[in-house]
Amino acid sequence: MTLSYFFNLYRDIRNTIEWSSFSAFIETLLLIPLMRRVRKHTKVRIPRLKALYRLTKELDAKGIAGDIMEFGVWRGGSAAVMAYAARYSPFRRRVWLFDSFRGNSSPTAKDGALVHERFHTGWNKAAAQDAGQLFTRLRIAPDRYRMIKGWFHETIPSVAAPAIALIHFDADMEEAAKISLEKFYDYVMPGGYMVFNSWAVREGVQRVWQEVVAARGDTPLRVPIDAVACYFEKPSRKERIEKDHYHVLKHDTKRRFISYWHQIN
């Protein structure tokens, strides 16, 4: 074992363990072996991986059915964390893995300067078997995940959408966000989660998200995971009705006030 091995071990332990409470310490201590096993299969940072694990577990606690989807898989590490957390779910969730496995498509003018700066042919390219081998090592049953290989515009339109409990979006391009969110947003269960790994540095993804939720009259609250990543919780139908009622009442009150003001002046 080299010095770098012990340095990486220390780094992973430091980033995994939480000291906020005894229960948090025990829970995160037990996650160390999983974090170590997926580290070479993901570029997602450990705090974000822990958030994916926790949100997957929370779905069971909240009684929310549905599958899990990931857009932008690379070598399968973050998807494996969610699949591992869902192993004993009473809802028998399937994890859907969407990726071209040929790297990112070329960015457009809408994708922002940072994406153009980082892009090169083969950016984020990985082999699908890397993800498959990781799932096998973690003893994730083959019927609990499904790989959809190909460009999103070629594969997503023909997918029969299931009920969805969680979406992890780790693709970089605006077009990818538009195709996937417009197709699957309506299938996310109320109370389900939509997690964005690179939210703060993906202008195109933010723009598509705002268009999708605005078109449906939704205003889900953004919850930061760190300075870059975040997640949203899908509002329930009751929350939408209450919000609509509030806006109707607000508009009606304003109209009545203006009418009264004209009457007395």
Side-chain angles (χ1 to χ4, degrees):
M1 295 184 182
T2 64
L3 184 62
S4 63
Y5 170 85
F6 288 105
F7 173 79
N8 291 333
L9 176 62
Y10 165 75
R11 179 200 59 195
D12 291 347
I13 292 174
R14 182 193 62 191
N15 290 334
T16 303
I17 291 181
E18 296 178 8
W19 303 92
S20 56
S21 67
F22 180 74
S23 60
F25 170 77
I26 295 299
E27 180 183 5
T28 53
L29 180 66
L30 295 175
L31 282 179
I32 291 174
L34 176 62
M35 296 296 111
R36 293 287 293 165
R37 295 176 80 175
V38 305
R39 284 308 290 143
K40 293 183 179 180
H41 286 259
T42 182
K43 298 179 182 180
V44 178
R45 297 178 180 180
I46 285 179
R48 301 176 195 174
L49 294 175
K50 290 193 298 180
L52 291 174
Y53 185 93
R54 176 176 57 81
L55 292 173
T56 303
K57 289 292 189 181
E58 282 184 8
L59 293 169
D60 289 345
K62 293 165 61 176
I64 296 174
D67 287 352
I68 295 169
M69 289 187 170
E70 180 169 81
F71 299 97
V73 175
W74 197 52
R75 300 184 67 204
S78 54
V81 167
M82 295 183 289
Y84 192 86
R87 285 178 307 161
Y88 303 116
S89 171
F91 300 103
R92 289 193 58 80
R93 308 185 195 280
R94 174 181 283 184
V95 179
W96 298 66
L97 297 85
F98 292 85
D99 201 298
S100 69
F101 294 103
R102 287 180 277 176
N104 290 89
S105 58
S106 299
T108 68
K110 297 180 179 180
D111 283 306
L114 184 61
V115 172
H116 281 268
E117 180 183 322
R118 293 184 175 180
F119 177 78
H120 56 84
T121 302
W123 185 34
N124 291 326
K125 181 179 180 181
Q129 57 262 36
D130 289 343
Q133 290 169 0
L134 176 61
F135 274 56
T136 299
R137 287 199 296 273
L138 292 175
R139 298 182 180 179
I140 308 298
D143 65 341
R144 301 297 291 275
Y145 67 94
R146 181 181 175 187
M147 287 193 192
I148 310 294
K149 294 182 281 187
W151 301 115
F152 288 2
H153 70 274
E154 296 174 347
T155 59
I156 287 177
S158 62
V159 172
I164 302 169
L166 189 154
I167 289 177
H168 179 222
F169 194 84
D170 198 17
D172 296 287
M173 306 303 177
E174 182 188 49
E175 181 186 14
K178 187 175 183 65
I179 294 169
S180 53
L181 287 173
E182 287 188 346
K183 168 79 175 188
F184 294 115
Y185 179 90
D186 293 328
Y187 294 93
V188 178
M189 301 294 287
Y193 299 115
M194 288 154 285
V195 186
F196 292 84
N197 181 60
S198 302
W199 173 264
V201 292
R202 296 293 180 266
E203 300 168 18
V205 173
Q206 292 180 36
R207 185 164 45 248
V208 168
W209 168 259
Q210 291 161 1
E211 292 172 355
V212 168
V213 297
R216 291 155 177 80
D218 285 351
T219 53
L221 178 67
R222 183 172 68 89
V223 181
I225 296 172
D226 56 26
V228 175
C230 68
Y231 69 89
F232 297 85
E233 182 176 342
K234 179 80 173 285
S236 66
R237 183 173 181 272
K238 179 181 178 182
E239 290 171 331
R240 295 181 190 177
I241 292 173
E242 288 176 346
K243 179 176 71 68
D244 291 342
H245 178 72
Y246 167 77
H247 286 298
V248 169
L249 184 62
K250 180 180 178 181
H251 176 75
D252 186 60
T253 301
K254 181 179 179 181
R255 180 183 60 80
R256 288 171 181 268
F257 176 79
I258 293 173
S259 177
Y260 174 73
W261 178 261
H262 286 310
Q263 289 176 13
I264 65 175
N265 287 279

